[in-house]
Amino acid sequence: MNYFSRKAFEARGVSLCAYLIALAGFQRGLRITFYNDPQLTTKVTTASDPRGTIFSLSDDKDVYFFLRSRGSLTSKEAHKSSINKWKTKELLLNAGVGTPKGIMVETGKALEDDELFASFGCREVVVKPVSGSLGKGVTTGIKSQEELVDALGNIQTRRVVLEEHVEGVEYRYYVAGGRVVAVTGREAANVVGDGTSTIRTLIMSKNKIRARNPHLSSRKIKLDKSTLSFLQLHGHDLSTVPAKDEKIYLSSAANLSRGGDSIDATHIVSEQSKEAAVAAARALNIPNAGVDIINVVRDGVEYNYVIELNSQAHIGSHSFPMKGDGQGNKVAEAIVESYFPERTEKIIEDAFFDFSYVKNGLGTGGLSGVSLPVLREGMVKKRLKLSSPHSPAVVTRHSEKIMKQTGCFGEVHSFGGGMFHMRLLAEETNAARFKEQLVKKLEDIEILEEGGFTSPIDTTVRVVNHVDDSEPNLRSSRLIVRGKVQGVGYRKWLKSAAMKKSVDGWVRNRSDGAVEAILSGNASQIAELIEECREGPRRSYVDQVLIKPTKITPKSGFRVRSTRESF
């Protein structure tokens, strides 16, 4: 999990869309405010519990409000049209956009019409409530009057839409600023056999993988009545052991909320289908929308059928698909740029904010809103290495206080032996003021080294104590370093850095792209070396350094070992 994913994971669930868009605006120097009081944002919602999903973006001239991914440039009328599946179909047809054949009927009358399936004139139909989301109440693959009656009996709504079932490949297109930014394919919930595990075990294993995904962690495969019935219909149950590489589907609907798989398909769909998505969003007058399209190829000709639009679509699936690389934060960035066309450049590429700060602030109940720091042009990353005879408590307390007074963000890293590292995100003048005031306050402090750094940074002020006074002087640590750390000389660099500090151990590549190392020696020297590992050599880019204690005692010296399979 890279740094971007780990920060997004803090906002997993209903707040993820808000976090991604707020992050895109934040990195472009916009003012971001999250609200506790929904009455402040009646343009987008009347919800009573915002839970970190209502926020605004402002450049101090214009301000726009958002509820998750839906901003105030989407009118209430357009939003209502996207919720109403029949209204959506009418607007698409009027605009000449391809959509499956369909009719709207009263649920009660439909149940009384014994010839409804035959009169509709399609071999296979889909039933969906007129209004709804997340696939609730949708039944696909209906092939008889009996199946139609069963499906209608499961829908608790006054009106339904009967739609021709179109056989093809379904994708979610995200349209922002008049173009398709990302496309995600969706596959119904499934497991793949290994020849020894039951379906129950395979589901549990897959849910563990989903639990580590910021978007899918709250969308696990459910062992409910629907799943069990589907398995039974296809001759399986939870104790079935599928053959190796045999794929067992657990649902007929390709719905992520029902445990479906998301697949990055941005670069495999046709330009024609992207044009259809843009035309659909334009037909409903929605500037930013998720558009669901089924692509069909008949006799070498592609047909695109728009089946749904969502003006408040989840954008996390495009950033964190189950399969494929994903599109990073491109969707959120395109949304922000559609509201602020002049803000196309990031002030700091990898500056982040702590979403727990937002949640904690909103959770106090006494605040109507929480505003984030504002990034300013000219901010740079500064790294300082200092020594001081003062106690770590004194140095870290004054450093933290002076950072806040001088408008600097960053981290104070305290090591043993009077050594300190500081990372600053600040304008040059503010960084200079910080150093000046710190030296003035702590006269005996000495700045040993000054430079920049490349790793990500949070716009918070915090203290990290690497060495506890109660720790023994000698210790061993196991490191897993992730990011761009292979093929860039990372192992050679670490060996050289370790030998300079008289640290024993070894380093090796792992088959999952990470670097693994064992460091053994003086606690303060190891702590300082770990801090340097967050930077690495010039060509590297470190996303994460995972540190674990270990009882391994390596031989004297430092070695580069062969690649190991990762587990």
Side-chain angles (χ1 to χ4, degrees), residues 82-102:
S82 70
I83 293 174
N84 187 310
K85 293 179 173 59
W86 182 247
K87 182 65 174 177
T88 295
K89 190 173 288 292
E90 286 185 323
L91 290 172
L92 292 174
L93 290 170
N94 290 340
V97 178
T99 186
K101 169 188 173 182

Side-chain angles (χ1 to χ4, degrees), residues 409-422:
F409 307 111
E411 302 168 343
V412 182
H413 293 263
S414 168
F415 303 103
M419 298 301 299
F420 302 87
H421 285 184
M422 297 183 188

Side-chain angles (χ1 to χ4, degrees), residues 195-369:
T196 59
S197 302
T198 64
I199 289 178
R200 181 190 294 273
T201 301
L202 292 169
I203 290 174
M204 292 173 63
S205 297
K206 192 162 189 178
N207 277 341
K208 288 180 180 179
I209 297 173
R210 297 176 77 89
R212 298 193 292 268
N213 183 299
H215 180 249
L216 299 175
S217 61
S218 60
R219 296 171 172 82
K220 297 179 182 178
I221 300 171
K222 299 176 177 63
L223 294 177
D224 55 14
K225 182 179 177 181
S226 175
T227 300
L228 298 178
S229 298
F230 187 85
L231 283 172
Q232 185 178 19
L233 181 65
H234 293 82
H236 304 298
D237 59 33
L238 294 177
S239 64
T240 300
V241 178
K244 184 174 176 56
D245 298 327
E246 180 184 4
K247 182 175 286 189
I248 303 293
Y249 284 96
L250 309 170
S251 172
S252 61
N255 191 300
L256 302 186
S257 297
R258 293 284 309 165
D261 289 348
S262 50
I263 305 162
D264 187 358
T266 306
H267 302 298
I268 67 173
V269 298
S270 69
E271 289 301 317
Q272 174 186 310
S273 66
K274 292 179 180 179
E275 291 171 4
V278 173
R282 189 183 304 118
L284 270 71
N285 195 29
I286 302 176
N288 303 312
V291 184
D292 294 341
I293 299 180
I294 295 178
N295 294 337
V296 182
V297 177
R298 301 191 192 104
D299 300 325
V301 179
E302 179 179 328
Y303 299 88
N304 310 118
Y305 296 89
V306 177
I307 56 174
E308 187 173 338
L309 277 85
N310 192 329
S311 64
Q312 195 170 293
H314 290 288
I315 63 175
S317 60
H318 302 297
S319 296
F320 310 106
M322 188 76 174
K323 301 175 183 177
D325 295 333
Q327 296 301 304
N329 208 24
K330 290 180 181 178
V331 171
E333 290 168 356
I335 292 172
V336 170
E337 290 169 12
S338 70
Y339 279 75
F340 298 91
E342 73 286 357
R343 297 292 181 115
T344 59
E345 299 295 329
K346 298 179 184 179
I347 292 177
I348 299 290
E349 177 73 27
D350 50 3
F352 294 83
F353 67 88
D354 190 349
F355 196 73
S356 62
Y357 166 78
V358 174
K359 290 190 290 187
N360 292 339
L362 295 177
T364 62
L367 297 176
S368 60

Side-chain angles (χ1 to χ4, degrees), residues 4 42 161 244 249 322 364 382 396 463 477 501 536 541:
F4 169 59
T42 53
V161 173
K244 184 174 176 56
Y249 284 96
M322 188 76 174
T364 62
K382 289 279 188 180
T396 55
V463 172
S477 295
K501 297 181 183 297
Y541 186 89

Side-chain angles (χ1 to χ4, degrees), residues 14-33:
V14 296
S15 302
L16 180 57
C17 293
Y19 173 79
L20 295 174
I21 295 173
L23 176 64
F26 170 77
Q27 291 177 336
R28 284 159 174 74
L30 295 174
R31 188 176 302 278
I32 316 295
T33 303

Side-chain angles (χ1 to χ4, degrees), residues 415 479 493-494 497-498 501 503 519 524-534 558:
F415 303 103
L479 272 61
W493 167 85
L494 181 54
K501 297 181 183 297
V503 171
L519 308 179
S524 62
Q525 293 282 47
I526 289 178
E528 189 169 339
L529 181 57
I530 289 173
E531 177 61 16
E532 292 179 14
C533 284
R534 300 180 193 277
F558 201 91

Side-chain angles (χ1 to χ4, degrees), residues 109-120 142-152 162:
K109 292 182 179 179
L111 285 168
E112 296 172 358
D113 187 350
D114 295 336
E115 301 297 323
L116 180 58
F117 182 84
S119 63
F120 187 60
I142 298 171
K143 299 178 181 178
S144 67
Q145 178 67 27
E146 292 74 18
E147 291 179 6
L148 177 57
V149 171
D150 288 341
L152 291 170
L162 258 67

Side-chain angles (χ1 to χ4, degrees), residues 10-66:
E10 296 174 1
R12 62 190 181 277
V14 296
S15 302
L16 180 57
C17 293
Y19 173 79
L20 295 174
I21 295 173
L23 176 64
F26 170 77
Q27 291 177 336
R28 284 159 174 74
L30 295 174
R31 188 176 302 278
I32 316 295
T33 303
F34 285 84
Y35 297 97
N36 234 343
D37 185 359
Q39 296 304 313
L40 297 174
T41 57
T42 53
K43 288 185 177 181
V44 292
T45 184
T46 57
S48 59
D49 181 15
R51 293 180 292 175
T53 62
I54 301 174
F55 62 102
S56 65
L57 306 180
S58 173
D59 61 356
D60 294 330
K61 293 183 296 182
D62 299 309
V63 57
Y64 298 100
F65 293 97
F66 283 79

